[in-house]
Amino acid sequence: MGLILQEFIESRSLYACMACNAHIARRDAVISRTFQGRLGRAFLTEAVVNEKLGRAEDRLLMTGMHTVCNLQCRGCGALIGWKYVRAHDRSQQYKEGRYVLEQSRIVPVGAVSPPDAPADAPPGSPLPPLPLLPAQHPGAAAGRYVYGLGSRNTSPALRG
């Protein structure tokens, strides 16, 4: 397959792929946080990096018919949103060439207030620490169960 080169965003606040932590978009490139994705809340953004686009297809979305491409993380292939290629309704043409990122598939990185932070939270409030990936968790090397990361290793040698 070859080496996958990733771009790194030089910014103190950005979004990364939840599955592999590849940089995806600058936080200040977000145009709207009020979009609805397939899995819940989503963001409309100007530009993304480390993306892989699927084939263009027509989809009937909440705001009408659009031609869109699935947006995958180039690092791990996870589906993270879609790109608007064409809006069939004139009032929706501002979306053309822009990206929708599923909030449940990306994680904020950097010292920024999360989108759901209280209104009185000062800008730059630190985020809670990111969850450890399975390979980073101390119990993963021993084959122990890691809460929320999957199934228990049932090997008799590792049961304790």
Side-chain angles (χ1 to χ4, degrees):
M1 177 172 153
L3 182 65
I4 297 174
L5 298 176
Q6 290 189 9
E7 292 182 49
F8 292 90
I9 299 173
E10 291 188 30
S11 175
R12 293 188 57 173
S13 81
L14 57 103
Y15 292 106
C17 174
M18 180 174 276
C20 71
N21 285 331
H23 293 182
I24 299 296
R26 295 174 60 100
R27 188 172 167 102
D28 59 8
V30 173
I31 298 166
S32 174
R33 298 185 194 306
T34 62
F35 272 65
Q36 183 68 30
R38 291 180 181 173
L39 306 170
R41 291 180 58 186
F43 302 144
L44 181 68
T45 186
E46 282 284 337
V48 297
V49 297
N50 297 318
E51 82 279 5
K52 184 168 117 179
L53 295 174
R55 232 181 21 238
E57 61 184 42
D58 286 340
R59 274 192 212 148
L60 183 59
L61 302 174
M62 289 172 49
T63 55
M65 186 62 76
H66 297 275
T67 303
V68 298
C69 297
N70 281 339
L71 176 64
Q72 294 177 295
C73 172
R74 184 172 37 181
C76 67
L79 184 63
I80 55 174
W82 67 85
K83 178 182 182 179
Y84 285 106
V85 177
R86 180 170 176 260
H88 297 260
D89 183 357
R90 181 179 297 244
S91 69
Q92 300 298 310
Q93 288 181 345
Y94 73 96
K95 298 176 184 176
E96 290 180 357
R98 296 185 171 155
Y99 302 84
V100 171
L101 299 174
E102 297 273 2
Q103 187 177 348
S104 65
R105 300 292 176 102
I106 57 175
V107 292
V109 177
V112 295
S113 300
D116 296 329
D120 59 346
S125 297
L127 292 173
L130 293 175
L132 293 174
L133 296 175
Q136 296 171 325
H137 198 280
R144 293 190 206 110
Y145 179 76
V146 179
Y147 178 74
L149 296 178
S151 63
R152 182 182 306 261
N153 186 330
T154 58
S155 168
L158 296 175
R159 273 189 259 171

